[in-house]
Amino acid sequence: MRILVVEDDQEAAAYLAKALREAGHVADQAADGESGLAMARDGGYDVLIVDRMLPKRDGLSLIASLRAEGDRTPVLILSALGQVDDRVTGLRAGGDDYLPKPYAFSELLARVEVLARRMTPQEADTVYRVGDLELDRLARTVTRAGKAIVLQPREFRLLEYLMKNAGTVVTRTMLLENVWDYHFDPQTNVIDVHISRLRGKIDKDFGRPLLQTVRGAGYVMRPDG
C-alpha cells in the first residue's frame, strides 16, 4: 500500500514511517496540515494516517477538505484526545477510524489493513499458499507438495502469520506482537527456536527453502526461495 503519514512530531512520524516500510508498504511523510493536504490530493494514496493536532491546518480540517472535494481515501486519525466525544467528532469530520495515542504499532497496522480492504472488498482468505506449501486455516492443516506436515499450535500460528504476509519482511517486533502477544522479552531466543523448528518441518526435506532470513530485518516467505 501507499500510505501518507501526516504528523508534526518528526521523531514519531519517522518511527511510524519506518515501521510501515518494514511491513512492506510505501510510506511518505508530511509535517503540517497544508503540505499533508497537498500531498493527499496528488499522491494517490491507499490510506492516510493523520494526526489531529497539526500546524498550519489541523487534521480534521484537512479531512473535511478532502471529503468536500469528493476524495474518499480512507483516513485513520491519530490523537492524544481519546475521549468518546473526541472520537465522535473525528469520525463525523470524515475520518474512517480513530486511534488514541499511545498505540501499539500492530494495532495501527491492523486498522490500516482493514481500511484498505474496505476500499477493495474481497472474500476473506481461508487458505494461504506459498509455492507448493498450503495452509488451511479452517481445517488447521498444512501440506507441502501434497505431503501433510504436523505443526504444534504456536508453530501453526507462526506459519499462518508468515504466509499471510508472504513477500513482506516480517520483523521480530511484529512476530512478538502478533504471534506471542508480547508474552516474551524482545531479547529472548524464542523466535529463533520456533523459526528453526518450522524450517525443519516445511523446508528441510524439500527442494527449495521458502522461509528466508533477511539479515538485520526479519523473515520473509517467498515462493521462489
Side-chain angles (χ1 to χ4, degrees), residues 46-105:
D46 297 297
V47 177
L48 309 179
I49 300 174
V50 180
D51 185 46
R52 181 166 175 171
M53 307 293 286
L54 294 168
K56 297 186 179 179
R57 178 191 287 265
D58 68 85
L60 300 190
S61 172
L62 182 161
I63 297 165
S65 294
L66 290 174
R67 298 298 185 244
E69 296 167 7
D71 190 320
R72 309 312 302 171
T73 304
V75 178
L76 171 61
I77 300 172
L78 298 181
S79 178
L81 303 175
Q83 299 300 313
V84 173
D85 288 347
D86 299 317
R87 298 198 297 271
V88 169
T89 299
L91 295 172
R92 284 180 172 168
D96 297 277
D97 199 356
Y98 195 107
L99 184 60
K101 298 178 179 180
Y103 56 83
F105 175 70

Side-chain angles (χ1 to χ4, degrees), residues 56-197:
K56 297 186 179 179
R57 178 191 287 265
D58 68 85
L60 300 190
S61 172
L62 182 161
I63 297 165
S65 294
L66 290 174
R67 298 298 185 244
E69 296 167 7
D71 190 320
R72 309 312 302 171
T73 304
V75 178
L76 171 61
I77 300 172
L78 298 181
S79 178
L81 303 175
Q83 299 300 313
V84 173
D85 288 347
D86 299 317
R87 298 198 297 271
V88 169
T89 299
L91 295 172
R92 284 180 172 168
D96 297 277
D97 199 356
Y98 195 107
L99 184 60
K101 298 178 179 180
Y103 56 83
F105 175 70
S106 59
E107 180 181 4
L108 179 143
L109 183 60
R111 287 172 180 255
V112 166
E113 291 171 346
V114 167
L115 291 178
R117 285 199 298 270
R118 288 179 187 171
M119 294 298 288
T120 55
Q122 57 185 4
E123 184 178 353
D125 293 326
T126 58
V127 177
Y128 295 137
R129 296 182 180 86
V130 177
D132 57 356
L133 179 68
E134 180 176 298
L135 180 148
D136 189 318
R137 298 172 58 207
L138 298 182
R140 307 296 288 181
T141 58
V142 176
T143 60
R144 182 162 184 191
K147 179 182 177 181
I149 297 172
V150 179
L151 299 180
Q152 296 299 314
R154 186 73 68 178
E155 294 168 344
F156 186 93
R157 188 174 175 185
L158 173 60
L159 181 61
E160 179 182 9
Y161 187 76
L162 289 166
M163 292 183 72
K164 177 183 177 181
N165 294 280
T168 297
V169 175
V170 174
T171 68
R172 293 174 65 88
T173 298
M174 292 166 67
L175 290 176
L176 285 170
E177 290 184 354
N178 291 279
V179 179
W180 277 271
D181 303 316
Y182 276 126
H183 290 169
F184 293 88
D185 183 274
Q187 300 305 315
T188 183
N189 70 343
V190 66
I191 292 177
D192 306 293
V193 170
H194 278 76
I195 288 288
S196 178
R197 289 177 181 169

Side-chain angles (χ1 to χ4, degrees), residues 4 35-45 48 62 66 71 73:
L4 175 62
S35 59
L37 178 59
M39 292 177 69
R41 283 168 171 162
D42 301 333
Y45 294 100
L48 309 179
L62 182 161
L66 290 174
D71 190 320
T73 304

